[in-house]
Amino acid sequence: VAPLEGRLKTLRAESLSFVGESMTWFQMEIACLRKRVSEAEAERSTLREELDRVQADNVRLQEASRQDKMQSSESHLQNLDILKHLERCEKQVELLRKQEKDLNASNKHLEFRLKERENRIQTVEEQLNEERDKLTRMVPKEECEALKEDIRQWESRYKELEESYAAKQKDYLAIVETYSKKVGQALPNKSDMRPLTPRPTWLHCRGLLDAESPHSTEKA
Protein backbone atom coordinates (compact mmCIF):
# COMPACT_ATOMS: atom_id res chain seq x y z
CA VAL A 1 0.00 0.00 0.00
CA ALA A 2 2.81 2.38 0.86
CA PRO A 3 4.40 2.16 -2.56
CA LEU A 4 1.05 2.71 -4.11
CA GLU A 5 0.43 5.80 -1.99
CA GLY A 6 3.87 7.07 -2.85
CA ARG A 7 3.20 6.42 -6.46
CA LEU A 8 -0.13 8.28 -6.18
CA LYS A 9 1.56 11.16 -4.44
CA THR A 10 4.17 11.22 -7.16
CA LEU A 11 1.47 11.18 -9.84
CA ARG A 12 -0.44 13.91 -7.99
CA ALA A 13 2.69 15.99 -7.69
CA GLU A 14 3.51 15.43 -11.35
CA SER A 15 -0.10 16.20 -12.26
CA LEU A 16 -0.02 19.42 -10.26
CA SER A 17 3.31 20.25 -11.77
CA PHE A 18 1.93 19.50 -15.24
CA VAL A 19 -1.22 21.52 -14.53
CA GLY A 20 0.89 24.41 -13.23
CA GLU A 21 3.17 24.19 -16.23
CA SER A 22 0.15 23.89 -18.51
CA MET A 23 -1.44 26.93 -16.86
CA THR A 24 1.80 28.81 -17.29
CA TRP A 25 1.98 27.84 -20.96
CA PHE A 26 -1.71 28.60 -21.38
CA GLN A 27 -1.30 32.06 -19.84
CA MET A 28 1.75 32.64 -22.02
CA GLU A 29 -0.26 31.52 -25.06
CA ILE A 30 -3.14 33.77 -24.01
CA ALA A 31 -0.75 36.69 -23.58
CA CYS A 32 0.79 35.94 -26.97
CA LEU A 33 -2.65 35.66 -28.54
CA ARG A 34 -3.75 38.91 -26.92
CA LYS A 35 -0.61 40.58 -28.19
CA ARG A 36 -1.27 39.18 -31.66
CA VAL A 37 -4.92 40.31 -31.40
CA SER A 38 -3.84 43.82 -30.42
CA GLU A 39 -1.32 43.83 -33.24
CA ALA A 40 -4.00 42.52 -35.61
CA GLU A 41 -6.44 45.20 -34.40
CA ALA A 42 -3.75 47.85 -34.89
CA GLU A 43 -3.01 46.43 -38.30
CA ARG A 44 -6.75 46.26 -39.02
CA SER A 45 -7.10 49.93 -38.05
CA THR A 46 -4.16 50.80 -40.24
CA LEU A 47 -5.60 48.74 -43.08
CA ARG A 48 -9.03 50.36 -42.49
CA GLU A 49 -7.46 53.80 -42.72
CA GLU A 50 -5.54 52.67 -45.81
CA LEU A 51 -8.76 51.22 -47.26
CA ASP A 52 -10.63 54.48 -46.62
CA ARG A 53 -7.80 56.43 -48.20
CA VAL A 54 -7.68 54.03 -51.16
CA GLN A 55 -11.47 54.22 -51.54
CA ALA A 56 -11.30 58.03 -51.41
CA ASP A 57 -8.51 57.95 -53.99
CA ASN A 58 -10.59 55.51 -56.04
CA VAL A 59 -13.62 57.83 -55.94
CA ARG A 60 -11.42 60.80 -56.81
CA LEU A 61 -9.75 58.89 -59.61
CA GLN A 62 -13.10 57.63 -60.93
CA GLU A 63 -14.43 61.20 -60.93
CA ALA A 64 -11.25 62.35 -62.67
CA SER A 65 -11.61 59.46 -65.12
CA ARG A 66 -15.24 60.40 -65.80
CA GLN A 67 -14.24 64.02 -66.36
CA ASP A 68 -11.36 62.91 -68.56
CA LYS A 69 -13.76 60.73 -70.57
CA MET A 70 -16.14 63.67 -70.94
CA GLN A 71 -13.30 65.95 -71.97
CA SER A 72 -12.05 63.25 -74.34
CA SER A 73 -15.52 62.92 -75.86
CA GLU A 74 -15.85 66.69 -76.14
CA SER A 75 -12.36 66.92 -77.63
CA HIS A 76 -13.28 64.18 -80.12
CA LEU A 77 -16.45 66.04 -81.09
CA GLN A 78 -14.46 69.27 -81.37
CA ASN A 79 -11.94 67.51 -83.58
CA LEU A 80 -14.78 66.22 -85.76
CA ASP A 81 -16.23 69.73 -85.95
CA ILE A 82 -12.80 71.10 -86.84
CA LEU A 83 -12.42 68.47 -89.57
CA LYS A 84 -15.88 69.28 -90.93
CA HIS A 85 -15.05 72.98 -90.80
CA LEU A 86 -11.80 72.33 -92.65
CA GLU A 87 -13.69 70.34 -95.28
CA ARG A 88 -16.19 73.19 -95.66
CA CYS A 89 -13.33 75.67 -95.90
CA GLU A 90 -11.67 73.56 -98.59
CA LYS A 91 -14.95 73.39 -100.52
CA GLN A 92 -15.37 77.14 -100.14
CA VAL A 93 -11.80 77.68 -101.33
CA GLU A 94 -12.47 75.49 -104.37
CA LEU A 95 -15.72 77.35 -105.00
CA LEU A 96 -13.93 80.69 -104.66
CA ARG A 97 -11.26 79.55 -107.10
CA LYS A 98 -13.95 78.54 -109.56
CA GLN A 99 -15.72 81.86 -109.04
CA GLU A 100 -12.41 83.65 -109.54
CA LYS A 101 -11.93 81.86 -112.87
CA ASP A 102 -15.49 82.71 -113.89
CA LEU A 103 -14.99 86.33 -112.81
CA ASN A 104 -11.77 86.57 -114.80
CA ALA A 105 -13.52 85.22 -117.87
CA SER A 106 -16.48 87.53 -117.27
CA ASN A 107 -14.09 90.45 -116.71
CA LYS A 108 -12.41 89.80 -120.04
CA HIS A 109 -15.79 89.57 -121.75
CA LEU A 110 -16.91 92.80 -120.07
CA GLU A 111 -13.69 94.54 -121.10
CA PHE A 112 -14.35 93.48 -124.68
CA ARG A 113 -17.93 94.74 -124.45
CA LEU A 114 -16.67 97.97 -122.85
CA LYS A 115 -14.36 98.57 -125.79
CA GLU A 116 -17.25 97.94 -128.18
CA ARG A 117 -19.48 100.28 -126.16
CA GLU A 118 -16.79 102.95 -126.13
CA ASN A 119 -16.57 102.67 -129.91
CA ARG A 120 -20.38 102.89 -130.12
CA ILE A 121 -20.39 105.89 -127.79
CA GLN A 122 -17.79 107.58 -129.93
CA THR A 123 -19.86 106.86 -133.04
CA VAL A 124 -23.04 108.12 -131.34
CA GLU A 125 -21.22 111.25 -130.18
CA GLU A 126 -20.17 111.92 -133.74
CA GLN A 127 -23.76 111.41 -134.89
CA LEU A 128 -25.00 113.70 -132.09
CA ASN A 129 -22.54 116.36 -133.14
CA GLU A 130 -23.87 116.07 -136.66
CA GLU A 131 -27.44 116.32 -135.36
CA ARG A 132 -26.48 119.35 -133.27
CA ASP A 133 -25.04 120.96 -136.36
CA LYS A 134 -28.32 120.24 -138.14
CA LEU A 135 -30.35 121.59 -135.21
CA THR A 136 -28.41 124.84 -135.27
CA ARG A 137 -29.68 125.34 -138.85
CA MET A 138 -33.32 124.47 -138.02
CA VAL A 139 -36.25 126.65 -136.92
CA PRO A 140 -36.07 127.85 -133.30
CA LYS A 141 -38.03 125.90 -130.76
CA GLU A 142 -40.28 128.83 -129.78
CA GLU A 143 -41.33 129.40 -133.36
CA CYS A 144 -41.90 125.67 -133.86
CA GLU A 145 -44.08 125.48 -130.74
CA ALA A 146 -46.04 128.52 -131.89
CA LEU A 147 -46.63 126.91 -135.29
CA LYS A 148 -47.68 123.67 -133.65
CA GLU A 149 -50.14 125.60 -131.51
CA ASP A 150 -51.55 127.26 -134.65
CA ILE A 151 -51.87 123.87 -136.29
CA ARG A 152 -53.72 122.48 -133.26
CA GLN A 153 -56.07 125.49 -133.32
CA TRP A 154 -56.73 125.08 -137.05
CA GLU A 155 -57.30 121.36 -136.59
CA SER A 156 -59.77 122.11 -133.82
CA ARG A 157 -61.46 124.66 -136.05
CA TYR A 158 -61.51 122.16 -138.92
CA LYS A 159 -63.12 119.56 -136.66
CA GLU A 160 -65.77 122.04 -135.57
CA LEU A 161 -66.49 122.91 -139.21
CA GLU A 162 -66.75 119.24 -140.12
CA GLU A 163 -69.23 118.69 -137.30
CA SER A 164 -71.20 121.76 -138.40
CA TYR A 165 -71.14 120.57 -142.02
CA ALA A 166 -72.30 117.11 -140.98
CA ALA A 167 -75.16 118.62 -138.98
CA LYS A 168 -76.17 120.86 -141.91
CA GLN A 169 -75.89 117.92 -144.32
CA LYS A 170 -78.13 115.90 -142.05
CA ASP A 171 -80.65 118.75 -141.85
CA TYR A 172 -80.48 119.19 -145.61
CA LEU A 173 -81.16 115.51 -146.23
CA ALA A 174 -84.05 115.61 -143.78
CA ILE A 175 -85.54 118.65 -145.57
CA VAL A 176 -85.09 117.03 -148.97
CA GLU A 177 -86.68 113.80 -147.76
CA THR A 178 -89.64 115.70 -146.26
CA TYR A 179 -90.07 117.75 -149.43
CA SER A 180 -89.91 114.62 -151.62
CA LYS A 181 -92.56 112.91 -149.52
CA LYS A 182 -94.87 115.92 -149.83
CA VAL A 183 -94.29 116.29 -153.56
CA GLY A 184 -94.37 112.57 -154.15
CA GLN A 185 -91.02 112.43 -155.90
CA ALA A 186 -88.63 109.52 -155.28
CA LEU A 187 -85.06 110.34 -154.30
CA PRO A 188 -82.36 109.10 -156.71
CA ASN A 189 -79.53 106.81 -155.58
CA LYS A 190 -76.68 108.50 -153.79
CA SER A 191 -74.33 107.20 -156.47
CA ASP A 192 -76.28 109.14 -159.11
CA MET A 193 -76.36 112.35 -157.12
CA ARG A 194 -73.91 115.13 -157.95
CA PRO A 195 -73.59 118.71 -156.85
CA LEU A 196 -75.22 121.38 -158.96
CA THR A 197 -72.17 123.64 -158.80
CA PRO A 198 -69.07 122.84 -160.91
CA ARG A 199 -66.53 120.45 -159.48
CA PRO A 200 -63.67 122.24 -157.65
CA THR A 201 -60.18 122.31 -159.03
CA TRP A 202 -57.53 120.95 -156.64
CA LEU A 203 -54.11 122.58 -156.59
CA HIS A 204 -50.88 121.95 -154.69
CA CYS A 205 -50.88 123.43 -151.17
CA ARG A 206 -47.51 124.15 -149.70
CA GLY A 207 -47.16 124.41 -145.92
CA LEU A 208 -45.00 126.60 -143.76
CA LEU A 209 -42.72 123.87 -142.38
CA ASP A 210 -42.32 121.84 -145.59
CA ALA A 211 -42.36 124.46 -148.29
CA GLU A 212 -39.92 122.49 -150.45
CA SER A 213 -41.93 119.21 -150.57
CA PRO A 214 -45.04 119.10 -152.81
CA HIS A 215 -48.39 118.00 -151.40
CA SER A 216 -50.74 115.39 -152.81
CA THR A 217 -53.66 116.51 -155.01
CA GLU A 218 -55.98 113.87 -153.52
CA LYS A 219 -56.73 115.92 -150.39
CA ALA A 220 -57.61 119.57 -149.93
Side-chain angles (χ1 to χ4, degrees), residues 2 13 43 70 77 103 117 168 179 181 188 217:
E43 187 178 359
M70 291 177 62
L77 293 175
L103 287 174
R117 187 165 295 179
K168 289 181 180 180
Y179 176 77
K181 288 180 180 179
T217 58

Side-chain angles (χ1 to χ4, degrees), residues 6-22:
R7 184 64 178 168
L8 289 173
K9 289 180 180 179
T10 303
L11 289 173
R12 184 180 296 176
E14 290 178 357
S15 298
L16 290 173
S17 177
F18 180 75
V19 169
E21 187 178 355
S22 297

Side-chain angles (χ1 to χ4, degrees), residues 77-134:
L77 293 175
Q78 289 178 358
N79 290 330
L80 291 177
D81 293 336
I82 291 171
L83 290 175
K84 290 180 180 179
H85 181 68
L86 288 175
E87 290 178 357
R88 288 195 297 268
C89 290
E90 289 178 356
K91 291 181 180 179
Q92 290 179 357
V93 169
E94 293 296 330
L95 182 62
L96 290 174
R97 287 177 181 174
K98 185 178 180 181
Q99 290 178 355
E100 184 180 3
K101 291 180 181 178
D102 295 337
L103 287 174
N104 290 329
S106 178
N107 190 18
K108 291 181 180 179
H109 180 67
L110 290 174
E111 287 179 354
F112 179 74
R113 291 183 61 186
L114 179 62
K115 290 181 180 179
E116 289 184 349
R117 187 165 295 179
E118 287 177 352
N119 295 329
R120 290 181 183 177
I121 290 172
Q122 185 177 1
T123 305
V124 171
E125 285 180 353
E126 293 176 355
Q127 293 177 356
L128 286 174
N129 291 328
E130 293 178 358
E131 293 295 328
R132 289 192 188 97
D133 294 337
K134 290 181 181 179

